[in-house]
Amino acid sequence: MARMPRQLDTDKEGRLHLRGQVAGPAEYYPLQKAENAAQLLAILQHFTGLFFCQVVSLSILGNHYHLVCVFEAFRELSRAELWRLAELFYPDARYRPYLRWKAKDWERFNRRLFNPSELMRNVNGGYATWFNRRYGRKGRFWAGRFQSTESDNLVETALYVDLNPVRAKLVKRPERWRYSSAWMRQHGQDEWLMPLEAWMGPSGKPKEAERGYWARLYWRGTKPSKENDGVIPVELARQMEAEQFGRGCYLKSIPGYSRGRVVGSKAFVERGLDRYRAEG
C-alpha cells in the first residue's frame, strides 16, 4: 500500500525538529565512522542550501541524526529562479528532466522547494544511495520514515539537539562533537547556519546572542533530560563562563530555564522585559 503523504502546511513558516534513524540492531553505529558522518553532513548542507529553509542546529550521532530547521512560507518563484535551482538539483548533463517540464511540473517543483518532506526525501535517499554504493550493500538504510515535530520553542529545541552528544556520554562539552552545530559555531564554520542573533532573543546583537547561547547551552547541559543522561559538570560550566563571558551571564542553574521566556545577562533580560511590557 502506498504511504499517505504527510500533512504539512507549507503556506506558513514551519519550525521543525527532524530526525532520521538508521535501520539495524541497537549496537549498529555506522555514522560513528568519520567518513560516513562527513558525507551525511555534506549532503545535509547541500540540500538545505537548495530548499527555502535555514538550519538552526544539528547533530549526527552513531545511528541517527537531528536537524532543526525553519522553513519559509511558500511563495511563487520566478521561472528564472526556478530554472537556476533545477540546474543545481540536476547537475548531471546526462539527466536534465527540467528541459521537458511543462507549467504544472514547474509548479510542483516550486512547491517542493518549501516542503520539509521533500528535503528529507532528498537527504535520506541521497545518503542511502551513497552508503550502499560505498560499502557494496543492498536494502534499506533508514528505519522507516523520518520523524518530524513542530517546535513551539526554537531555543529549547536547538539546545536539546546541541546537547545530544553530551547526553549520550560521547563528550563532556558539546562543541567537541565534530559533527554538530555547536562544533561549527565554535570553529567558525557556521556560515551556512541561521545566525544566533536571529533566534536567541530580542537583542538582535551578534555578541550578545553568542554569549547567551554558550552560557545557556552549558547550564542547560548541567541538568539531565532523563535518567542516565550524561551531563556537563557544574564546575565546568562555571569555568567556561568565567573564561569566556565574565560576570553576569549565569551564576547557577535555575528553574527559569524551563519556564522563562528570556534568560541571560541582566541587560539582556531587562530589554526583553521592556519589550513584553510594551506588548501588554
Side-chain angles (χ1 to χ4, degrees), residues 59-95:
S59 62
I60 300 173
L61 287 88
N63 62 3
H64 67 283
Y65 71 91
H66 295 266
L67 181 68
V68 180
C69 282
V70 175
F71 276 80
E72 295 182 28
F74 172 78
R75 68 176 185 276
E76 292 186 5
L77 305 174
S78 68
R79 181 60 62 87
E81 190 168 8
L82 288 170
W83 187 278
R84 179 184 66 82
L85 290 167
E87 289 180 326
L88 294 173
F89 262 91
Y90 304 101
D92 190 342
R94 296 168 298 178
Y95 181 65

Side-chain angles (χ1 to χ4, degrees), residues 51 89-90 108-115 118 122:
F51 283 78
F89 262 91
Y90 304 101
R108 281 194 293 269
F109 182 62
N110 195 155
R111 281 281 177 186
R112 175 183 172 188
L113 296 170
F114 294 84
N115 192 320
E118 287 293 322
N122 279 270

Side-chain angles (χ1 to χ4, degrees), residues 137-273:
R137 69 184 294 275
K138 295 181 180 180
R140 66 175 186 173
F141 179 80
W142 300 103
R145 305 177 75 185
F146 71 93
Q147 298 177 22
S148 173
T149 306
E150 291 188 13
S151 172
D152 60 358
N153 189 324
L154 199 59
V155 173
E156 292 302 319
T157 304
L159 297 180
Y160 170 84
V161 167
D162 282 344
L163 285 168
N164 254 257
V166 175
R167 305 292 193 213
K169 302 180 181 179
L170 298 171
V171 289
K172 288 291 186 183
R173 303 172 65 141
E175 73 274 18
R176 289 186 175 174
W177 188 250
R178 172 66 179 79
Y179 302 103
S180 70
S181 47
W183 188 95
M184 296 171 203
R185 294 191 190 280
Q186 180 73 12
H187 293 83
Q189 297 185 18
D190 58 341
E191 68 282 348
W192 65 290
L193 303 176
M194 178 181 275
L196 290 172
E197 61 270 21
W199 57 274
M200 265 305 295
S203 74
K205 297 179 179 180
K207 290 296 184 182
E208 186 77 24
E210 184 179 8
R211 287 194 296 269
Y213 167 75
W214 287 108
R216 191 165 182 175
L217 180 65
Y218 264 73
W219 282 112
R220 170 67 78 217
T222 64
K223 298 292 184 182
S225 60
K226 60 180 181 295
E227 191 177 359
N228 297 323
D229 269 351
V231 296
I232 297 174
V234 171
E235 286 307 314
L236 181 58
R238 288 199 180 106
Q239 177 187 340
M240 179 281 303
E241 185 177 56
E243 290 177 354
Q244 298 189 39
F245 306 114
R247 189 177 181 85
C249 285
Y250 296 92
L251 296 180
K252 60 181 179 179
S253 180
I254 57 176
Y257 289 127
S258 58
R259 298 198 307 266
R261 294 189 177 191
V262 179
V263 182
S265 66
K266 181 179 178 182
F268 184 78
V269 172
E270 285 177 343
R271 284 196 295 272
L273 189 59

Side-chain angles (χ1 to χ4, degrees), residues 96-113:
R96 295 188 289 178
Y98 55 90
L99 296 178
R100 301 183 299 275
W101 283 355
K102 301 185 183 303
K104 288 187 177 180
D105 298 311
W106 286 108
E107 290 174 10
R108 281 194 293 269
F109 182 62
N110 195 155
R111 281 281 177 186
R112 175 183 172 188
L113 296 170

